[in-house]
Amino acid sequence: MKILVTGGAGFIGSHTSVELLKAGYEIVIVDNYSNSSPDVIDKIKKITGKDFKNYELDVCDKDSLEKVFEENQIDGVIHFAGFKAVGESSKNPVMYYRNNIDSTLTLLEVMKQHNCKKFVFSSSACVYGNTSDGKCCEDSPLAPTNPYGETKLVSEFILKDLYKSDNSWGIVILRYFNPIGAHESGLIGENPKDIPNNLMPYIVRVASKEYDMLHIFGNDYKTIDGTGVRDYIHVVDLSIGHIKALEKLNKENGLFTYNLGTGHGVSVLELVNTFSKVNNVEVKYEFTARRLGDVDINYADVTKAYNELGFKATKTIEDMCRDSYNYVLKNKSN
Ligand code: UD1
């Protein structure tokens, strides 16, 4: 089977490309490198020892995308490409809606023209509203708190309507919790082009002395130690979730939605302390004001993904901390 991976040079896209190749799939990557680098393509080839075609293009560019489908027999698509910075989305919502919705619509149109009807979509835990105890089930209320989350939810609605109109589609929506970690080779990982918004990319830059200090946003949450609790999942586990999703679509058509997380919450302080211990490095921090829009606790109910996909995250917080730092150290000395 040949799978088109949009955004395949990005953080989750590159790790999923590796797992796809390992599992025996052929892949084609398209990426415009807006938040990634073309070197990643060679690194995926180096890790797997396998070759594949890649195209530098914007998924919103229908003519270019059509060429990809004409030149390759694509059997299914995993759609990662999209903007993902929450703060930026609040400042420039139109840009976010334009890019994230346009790319999905363009892709679905071109897929339909080529009778390619297997689709795995990168959604996010941020489609959920605030739940009372922080645990999110797939049928928990949906109420994103920022434009980025809205673009994910609107895309989910589009996919639901598409399936309703034509049940020969097979669609899996994956709602990611907090992916961190990196491939154990240290060749690929998370490397945001701007100042990171998310916790782990910030921690690694403090540990490697690029930044002086981590600012922990609030220590008065109703949690074990006052700092925010999230469901961190190793990016390799998350990537394997996509293989499970494709296996599901190879068996049956339908529209399926799954959380991908570990089902366990970890606080900011727990993550920082584990990182320091595992890597034997100091992470200086100070407590600052809460970040607008943050909740006390957010973690996944993972029962559905386990029951229906046989998916279970296996890597520990220690693995995530070790692999995140290994990637940074390896790429500093290169
Ligand atoms: C954030 C987004 C979420 C998005 C996800 C993508 C917000 C409100 N939510 O989730 O919509 O899907 O990223 O990965 O932006 N923290 C610090 N200091 C930092 C950075 C973070 O203390 O410099 C804390 C946060 O307050 C939070 C935890 O670390 O308690 C995790 O933050 P982050 O990595 O940004 O993820 P989320 O907020 O869960």
Side-chain angles (χ1 to χ4, degrees):
M1 257 188 105
K2 193 173 270 184
I3 305 298
L4 176 69
V5 185
T6 76
F11 176 45
I12 306 172
S14 58
H15 288 83
T16 302
S17 296
V18 167
E19 295 306 318
L20 285 165
L21 291 165
K22 268 174 65 184
Y25 289 92
E26 289 183 73
I27 64 167
V28 174
I29 287 182
V30 300
D31 204 303
N32 66 357
Y33 308 118
S34 69
N35 191 30
S36 62
S37 149
D39 314 345
V40 172
I41 301 294
D42 288 333
K43 292 182 176 163
I44 297 169
K45 292 180 182 173
K46 192 168 171 192
I47 293 170
T48 58
K50 294 196 176 158
D51 202 10
F52 54 87
K53 273 206 228 170
N54 67 289
Y55 295 79
E56 180 171 355
L57 64 81
D58 189 321
V59 182
C60 301
D61 174 356
K62 196 170 180 185
D63 291 343
S64 302
L65 199 58
E66 268 170 355
K67 258 187 87 187
V68 176
F69 276 78
E70 277 154 23
E71 289 176 13
N72 303 276
Q73 173 61 48
I74 304 290
D75 302 301
V77 175
I78 306 184
H79 181 36
F80 294 104
F83 293 154
K84 61 170 190 177
V86 171
E88 186 184 49
S89 80
S90 299
K91 288 190 197 110
N92 205 339
V94 174
M95 182 175 94
Y96 266 67
Y97 280 100
R98 166 64 78 194
N99 185 64
N100 289 3
I101 305 299
D102 233 13
S103 59
T104 304
L105 290 173
T106 306
L107 196 50
L108 293 172
E109 278 173 359
V110 176
M111 286 177 71
K112 193 175 169 193
Q113 277 162 25
H114 289 80
N115 201 31
C116 171
K117 294 185 172 179
K118 289 188 200 309
F119 191 73
V120 178
F121 179 64
S122 284
S123 191
S124 164
C126 72
V127 297
Y128 294 114
N130 298 338
T131 56
S132 54
D133 60 355
K135 183 171 179 169
C136 301
C137 294
E138 285 80 354
D139 55 5
S140 295
L142 299 173
T145 55
N146 54 68
Y148 160 71
E150 294 286 3
T151 68
K152 291 292 174 189
L153 189 54
V154 171
S155 300
E156 290 196 9
F157 289 152
I158 292 168
L159 293 169
K160 280 180 190 146
D161 284 336
L162 173 63
Y163 179 71
K164 249 194 252 169
S165 75
D166 177 359
N167 63 13
S168 65
W169 280 80
I171 298 169
V172 175
I173 293 167
L174 297 175
R175 294 182 181 149
Y176 310 148
F177 279 69
N178 293 61
I180 58 172
H183 191 263
E184 61 182 5
S185 64
L187 287 170
I188 54 174
E190 187 170 21
N191 193 8
K193 284 193 172 166
D194 298 322
I195 297 174
N197 305 295
N198 298 119
L199 181 59
M200 183 55 93
Y202 211 99
I203 290 177
V204 294
R205 289 186 190 189
V206 174
S208 62
K209 308 259 182 295
E210 192 176 330
Y211 298 154
D212 292 340
M213 184 86 81
L214 170 72
H215 307 284
I216 297 184
F217 302 143
N219 61 349
D220 57 353
Y221 284 107
K222 287 193 213 85
T223 62
I224 176 175
D225 54 25
T227 64
V229 166
R230 298 290 183 273
D231 187 343
Y232 299 95
I233 175 169
H234 196 293
V235 64
V236 172
D237 275 334
L238 188 85
S239 298
I240 291 168
H242 296 73
I243 310 294
K244 301 277 186 193
L246 282 177
E247 284 168 7
K248 174 91 177 163
L249 295 183
N250 286 336
K251 281 190 250 147
E252 57 185 312
N253 295 332
L255 183 133
F256 311 96
T257 303
Y258 301 106
N259 287 339
L260 290 184
T262 64
H264 301 290
V266 170
S267 76
V268 176
L269 271 181
E270 285 173 326
L271 189 68
V272 169
N273 290 334
T274 306
F275 187 97
S276 292
K277 200 169 149 202
V278 168
N279 296 309
N280 194 22
V281 65
E282 189 187 8
V283 178
K284 283 195 184 150
Y285 62 81
E286 63 178 4
F287 295 113
T288 59
R290 289 180 174 203
R291 182 173 66 181
L292 202 70
D294 274 352
V295 295
D296 303 59
I297 302 180
N298 183 259
Y299 68 102
D301 183 323
V302 293
T303 320
K304 194 176 171 205
Y306 181 68
N307 288 343
E308 295 185 19
L309 297 180
F311 173 77
K312 194 173 190 313
T314 58
K315 292 189 183 270
T316 62
I317 284 287
E318 284 78 8
D319 296 331
M320 301 178 211
C321 290
R322 192 195 52 237
D323 291 341
S324 290
Y325 198 43
N326 177 44
Y327 168 71
V328 169
L329 294 181
K330 273 234 160 118
N331 289 280
K332 253 186 138 183
S333 53
N334 279 347

